[in-house]
């Protein structure tokens, strides 16, 4: 599952949302046929961008094309509540029992629209259910928050200094997960 921050801060100053759309499309192209996948948009609430409904779908030429079409419509507005993003990912992964589950979480901000206790509760709910690699784009994101998420969910955390570096980073993470 690719979890993309679509909060208002992703729209400026360098239109990070455009780079996030492009990077997500590159990641989708790297998903092998038959692998179940989905895309989540994260604001102050999470929503499934692709597929429709509360389930994952198997990657194929058709589903990858449909997912990339849905991702092209991502827009940036609203707040940031990462716990809700992680909970929704947990629900989606729950539709695919017995699978190895991996998520990529991209953000440029900090968890401002839920309390630390709400994020802790979400992490406790999803811990052990999937791995999550976290990336912070730019310099305004909260390192300790992403480090905590990645640590509890056995993933990595890193910076993408410039938005134009997202696509290569996403492709590398998906290729590593596919291995």
């Amino acid at each position: 599952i690719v979890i993309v921050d679509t909060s208002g801060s992703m729209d400026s100053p360098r239109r990070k949302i455009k780079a996030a759309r492009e990077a997500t499309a590159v990641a989708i192209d790297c998903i092998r046929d038959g692998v179940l996948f989905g895309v989540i948009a994260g604001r102050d609430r999470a929503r499934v961008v692709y597929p429709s409904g509360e389930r994952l779908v198997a990657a194929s030429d058709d589903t990858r094309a449909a997912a990339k079409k849905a991702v092209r419509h991502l827009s940036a507005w609203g707040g940031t509540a990462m716990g809700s993003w992680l909970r929704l990912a947990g629900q989606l992964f729950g539709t695919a029992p017995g699978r190895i589950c991996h998520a990529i979480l991209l953000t440029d901000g900090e968890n401002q629209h839920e309390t630390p206790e709400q994020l802790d509760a979400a992490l406790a709910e999803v811990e052990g259910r999937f791995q999550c690699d976290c990336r912070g784009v730019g310099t305004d994101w909260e390192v300790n928050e992403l480090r905590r998420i990645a640590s509890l969910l056995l993933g990595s955390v890193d910076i993408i200094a410039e938005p134009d570096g997202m696509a290569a980073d996403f492709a590398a993470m998906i290729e590593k997960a596919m291995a």
Side-chain angles (χ1 to χ4, degrees):
I1 295 175
V2 179
I3 305 169
V4 181
D5 182 344
T6 57
S7 66
S9 61
M10 287 291 286
D11 197 36
S12 61
R14 289 178 275 213
R15 307 255 328 137
K16 292 176 262 185
I17 193 66
K18 180 180 183 289
R21 287 191 298 258
E22 292 167 1
T24 302
V26 167
I28 289 166
D29 279 336
C30 294
I31 299 171
R32 294 181 187 156
D33 284 349
V35 172
L36 299 179
F37 78 103
V39 179
I40 292 173
R43 294 186 178 126
D44 45 334
R45 287 183 294 159
R47 72 176 178 88
V48 177
V49 173
Y50 185 84
S52 59
E54 299 278 324
R55 61 181 171 68
L56 300 172
V57 297
S60 68
D61 290 340
D62 290 341
T63 59
R64 281 188 291 271
K68 290 189 298 184
K69 183 178 179 182
V71 165
R72 281 194 300 264
H73 299 288
L74 290 176
S75 60
W77 58 271
T80 305
M82 293 180 213
S84 72
W85 310 353
L86 297 168
R87 278 194 168 103
L88 182 54
Q91 291 169 9
L92 289 176
F93 283 133
T95 68
R99 304 258 183 166
I100 296 172
C101 299
H102 178 256
I104 295 172
L105 185 152
L106 172 77
T107 186
D108 74 333
E110 59 184 277
N111 204 44
Q112 296 177 330
H113 292 85
E114 43 181 30
T115 66
E117 294 78 20
Q118 288 171 309
L119 179 57
D120 287 344
L123 286 167
E125 184 179 313
V126 301
E127 186 176 8
R129 297 178 54 203
F130 62 92
Q131 178 184 352
C132 186
D133 290 317
C134 300
R135 294 298 182 266
V137 64
T139 58
D140 295 330
W141 52 283
E142 180 56 48
V143 176
N144 290 332
E145 245 169 25
L146 288 192
R147 185 175 290 129
R148 193 160 124 255
I149 291 168
S151 177
L152 285 171
L153 300 183
L154 305 177
S156 63
V157 63
D158 207 346
I159 184 173
I160 303 172
E162 294 295 327
D164 59 3
M166 280 186 226
D169 195 69
F170 273 37
M173 281 188 287
I174 292 292
E175 289 297 329
K176 183 177 177 182
M178 295 291 108

